[in-house]
Structure formats: structure tokens, C-alpha cells
Amino acid sequence: MKRVVFNQKGGVGKSTISANLAAQSARQGFRTLLVDLDAQGNSTHYCGVDINDDGLTVADMFKQVAGWFAKPEPPTAFIRPTAYNGLFVLPAHPSLADLERELENRYKMFKLKETLAELEDQFDRVYIDTPPNFNFYSKAALIAADSFLVPFDCDDFSIQAIDRLLQNVLELRADHNPSLQFEGIVINQFNAQAKLPVELIGALKAKSLPVFEQKIHSTVKVKESHSKRTPLPFLAPSHKVSLQFAKLWEELEKAETTSK
Ligand SMILES: Nc1ncnc2c1ncn2[C@@H]1O[C@H](COP(=O)(O)OP(=O)(O)OP(=O)(O)O)[C@@H](O)[C@H]1O
Ligand SMILES: [Mg+2]
């Protein structure tokens, strides 16, 4: 199962959610790959993988599939293990930003799908973190994936962003990946005491949009886990928000079983 976490709005929790769901999946015994397609490399860094070394990254993978890499490497060569059993990362690199135009001009958008298909036997679950843009990389991810999740940060501008996002993604789905499923909206940075988040969630439901039952609350523990470069299921498995990620992960798994 390959899931993309996407919202073109910045700072809504894409990297936090993709890394923590991937970590929870690994913790449950699934061999899990986190693909980081954002040149910022936040989820790569979060999982403790360094990209400022000589190791290969997803940027090299794109160069290879575009035919710009002198020595061909198998897809596994671009993947790094983490300190956590079962969790692997296909790391991002800042050079993704410079590569984008050339890859797009040369129609390489389907190459991620081909590479992930070659890795299908090696991973039980794949989570893909995307940049805050509907650009070459997020499109490549949405073409390669089985489904997508949309993080929502309980901000008024986010409602309008979701309408635009769905228009874009549904058009891409119709043209390039008809089996892509919209699994739902993940409510992040939820504050049960405030009125606005509850109203905004009501507005999403009034549009008949699928919203996951399990919300992710706002907590400084998320920032602490970023600074310790340790996803929550490994840093503090019994913390309230780790349990929320565990329940969200279960909700996803359950939906997957019932849709089969
Ligand atoms: N549940 C949460 N509680 C507290 N802080 C959070 C939570 N989720 C995310 N954050 C904070 O919000 C900020 C943005 O989160 P994150 O980097 O995951 O978003 P993003 O959508 O990946 O951003 P970008 O669009 O830049 O890639 C970070 O500083 C992160 O620590
Ligand atoms: Mg991010």
C-alpha cells in the first residue's frame, strides 16, 4: 500500500504525519519505506537520516531514471536504514529544487511509479511526504500512489486550500491514476477547547468530505520529537499524541482491509 500525504498549503503537518505514520507502521512490524520528495528534507532529517554525506538520495534516483547517472544502481541503493527496526527512508536532497524543471521538461513524472513498483516486494507499506506545492514531485507521488491523505491544520485559509487541492488532484487522478483513493482529511494541531476548529471540521463534513475520526492534537512533544530526530512512536510510545498516531494508523489499516 502506497500512501501520499499531500497538501499544497505549507506547514500543515505533512512531514510530521508521514514520518509518524511510517514509524508507527514499522513499530507494528511492517517493513516500511518513507519517501521524502520535499527538497527541504524535513522528514528525512526527522527520521535521523543525514543527507549531507556521500550517500545516494531520491535526487540521484531521479537522475538515474532520467538517464543522467553514469553507473546504474538498483533502486535499493537509494534507500537508507534508520535506527528503527523496519523503518527505511528514501531521502530528499536540496538539489531536487534545481532538478525539477529539467525532469518536468523531459516528462519524467511516471518514473517514481516505476521505481516504487520495482521495490514492491521489499516493503509492506510506503508513505510519501510531499512539498507544499502541486509541482512535479507531488504529481509524481500522486501518480505512483494507491491513495492520498490530506492534513488540515484547523486554519480558516485551509478550507479554501482544500477545495483547490481536490480540484487539482481529482483532475490528475482522472488523467493519470484512476484507481487513486482519497482516504481522508487528517485533522492536525487540534485544540478541543477552541471554537474555530470544531466549526471548520463541521464545514468539511458539510461538504461531505471524508474526515478521519482520530484527530492529532497540538503538543510541544511534536517539536521535541523533531529536535531529537525521533518520531513519537519511538520517543514516547505512551504519550497522548503517540497514541493518537497509533489510532490514526489503525483507522487507515482498517479502511484498507474493508476496501479489499
Ligand atoms: N500536532 C502538532 N503539534 C504541535 N506542533 C505541530 C504539530 N504538527 C506539526 N507541528 C509543527 O508545525 C510545523 C509544520 O509541521 P510540518 O513540518 O510537519 O508541516 P509540513 O506540512 O510538512 O510543512 P511544509 O509545507 O513546510 O513541508 C512544525 O514546526 C511542526 O513542529
Ligand atoms: Mg514538510
Side-chain angles (χ1 to χ4, degrees):
M1 185 73 182
K2 297 182 281 286
R3 295 192 161 91
V4 187
V5 180
F6 176 61
N7 190 332
Q8 78 271 26
K9 185 167 186 281
V12 294
K14 294 178 286 296
S15 302
T16 303
I17 290 167
S18 51
N20 281 299
L21 287 176
Q24 179 62 20
S25 166
R27 210 167 159 259
Q28 292 299 315
F30 291 90
R31 222 176 126 83
T32 303
L33 177 65
L34 174 65
V35 179
D36 185 357
L37 292 180
D38 186 0
Q40 297 179 96
N42 291 343
S43 53
T44 301
H45 183 81
Y46 188 17
C47 291
V49 172
D50 288 315
I51 48 173
N52 295 320
D53 53 21
D54 294 333
L56 298 173
T57 69
V58 76
D60 299 305
M61 188 278 286
F62 275 112
K63 284 185 203 160
Q64 161 154 306
V65 294
W68 306 332
F69 216 59
K71 189 173 140 265
E73 298 280 358
T76 45
F78 305 98
I79 291 169
R80 317 260 187 118
T82 66
Y84 315 105
N85 242 348
L87 181 62
F88 297 80
V89 175
L90 177 48
H93 192 270
S95 64
L96 283 171
D98 301 327
L99 274 177
E100 184 184 351
R101 172 79 57 90
E102 187 67 16
L103 289 168
E104 189 152 34
N105 287 346
R106 295 179 56 189
Y107 307 104
K108 302 299 177 192
M109 213 134 72
F110 291 85
K111 291 293 182 183
L112 180 68
K113 183 186 174 89
E114 290 171 22
T115 304
L116 293 182
E118 281 180 56
L119 289 164
E120 194 127 295
D121 294 348
Q122 313 229 8
F123 296 98
D124 306 311
R125 298 288 180 273
V126 177
Y127 286 88
I128 310 176
D129 184 19
T130 51
N133 286 303
F134 190 59
N135 68 3
F136 171 86
Y137 298 111
S138 39
K139 288 176 194 167
L142 289 158
I143 288 170
D146 301 308
S147 67
F148 67 103
L149 320 177
V150 177
F152 179 81
D153 63 350
C154 302
D155 173 297
D156 196 35
F157 293 144
S158 299
I159 290 261
Q160 294 149 47
I162 286 210
D163 285 339
R164 244 187 347 269
L165 176 154
L166 287 177
Q167 238 173 5
N168 287 336
V169 177
L170 298 184
E171 192 177 336
L172 177 120
R173 173 167 83 177
D175 290 344
H176 299 302
N177 188 5
S179 58
L180 181 72
Q181 275 180 54
F182 177 25
E183 284 188 285
I185 297 172
V186 180
I187 307 296
N188 187 31
Q189 305 243 33
F190 183 66
N191 175 355
Q193 266 74 55
K195 221 169 102 197
L196 182 64
V198 177
E199 284 174 8
L200 292 175
I201 294 166
L204 293 174
K205 290 189 173 162
K207 288 171 186 274
S208 302
L209 294 171
V211 177
F212 286 101
E213 203 56 48
Q214 182 61 57
K215 303 172 184 68
I216 306 298
H217 285 220
S218 182
T219 161
V220 287
K221 202 75 183 172
V222 167
K223 295 195 193 291
E224 185 191 327
S225 80
H226 286 173
S227 80
K228 291 192 168 151
R229 303 181 68 183
T230 309
L232 285 157
F234 296 109
L235 180 71
S238 48
H239 186 275
K240 182 181 88 176
V241 171
S242 305
L243 299 177
Q244 291 172 355
F245 275 113
K247 286 224 176 101
L248 176 64
W249 181 82
E250 275 168 27
E251 212 177 320
L252 283 165
E253 291 287 319
K254 223 180 265 163
E256 188 185 332
T257 322
T258 49
S259 73
K260 271 182 185 162

Coordinates of all heavy atoms in Angstrom, one line a residue, residues 11 13-16 38 40 42-43 129-132, ligand 2:
G11 N 3.2 24.0 6.0 CA 3.2 23.9 7.4 C 2.0 23.3 8.1 O 1.7 23.5 9.2
G13 N 1.5 20.0 8.5 CA 1.9 18.7 9.2 C 2.2 17.5 8.3 O 2.2 16.4 8.7
K14 N 2.4 17.8 7.0 CA 2.7 16.7 6.0 C 3.9 15.8 6.5 O 3.8 14.6 6.6 CB 3.1 17.2 4.6 CG 1.9 17.9 3.9 CD 2.3 18.5 2.6 CE 3.2 19.7 2.7 NZ 2.6 20.9 3.2
S15 N 5.0 16.5 6.9 CA 6.2 15.8 7.2 C 6.0 15.1 8.6 O 6.4 13.9 8.8 CB 7.4 16.7 7.3 OG 7.6 17.3 6.1
T16 N 5.4 15.8 9.5 CA 5.1 15.2 10.9 C 4.2 13.9 10.7 O 4.5 12.9 11.3 CB 4.4 16.2 11.7 OG1 5.3 17.4 11.8 CG2 4.2 15.7 13.1
D38 N 10.4 16.3 -0.7 CA 10.5 17.7 -0.5 C 12.0 18.1 -0.3 O 12.7 17.6 0.6 CB 9.7 18.1 0.8 CG 9.7 19.6 1.0 OD1 10.2 20.4 0.2 OD2 9.1 20.0 2.0
Q40 N 13.2 20.4 1.1 CA 13.6 20.8 2.5 C 14.1 19.6 3.3 O 14.8 19.8 4.3 CB 12.3 21.3 3.2 CG 11.7 22.6 2.6 CD 10.4 23.0 3.4 OE1 10.5 23.8 4.3 NE2 9.3 22.4 3.1
N42 N 12.7 17.6 5.5 CA 12.3 17.6 6.9 C 12.0 16.2 7.4 O 12.4 15.9 8.5 CB 11.0 18.5 7.1 CG 11.4 20.0 6.9 OD1 12.5 20.3 6.9 ND2 10.4 20.8 6.8
S43 N 11.3 15.4 6.7 CA 11.0 14.1 7.2 C 12.2 13.2 7.2 O 12.4 12.3 8.1 CB 9.8 13.4 6.5 OG 10.0 13.4 5.2
D129 N 6.1 11.7 1.6 CA 6.0 13.1 2.1 C 6.2 14.0 0.8 O 7.1 13.7 0.0 CB 7.0 13.4 3.2 CG 6.9 14.8 3.7 OD1 5.8 15.4 3.6 OD2 7.9 15.2 4.4
T130 N 5.4 15.0 0.7 CA 5.5 15.9 -0.5 C 5.8 17.3 -0.1 O 5.6 17.8 1.0 CB 4.1 15.8 -1.2 OG1 3.1 16.1 -0.2 CG2 3.9 14.5 -1.8
P131 N 6.2 18.1 -1.1 CA 6.5 19.5 -0.9 C 5.2 20.3 -0.9 O 4.1 19.8 -1.3 CB 7.3 19.9 -2.1 CG 7.0 18.9 -3.2 CD 6.6 17.7 -2.5
P132 N 5.2 21.5 -0.3 CA 4.0 22.3 -0.2 C 3.6 23.0 -1.6 O 3.4 24.2 -1.6 CB 4.3 23.4 0.8 CG 5.8 23.5 0.8 CD 6.3 22.2 0.3
Ligands
MG2 MG 7.1 19.1 5.1

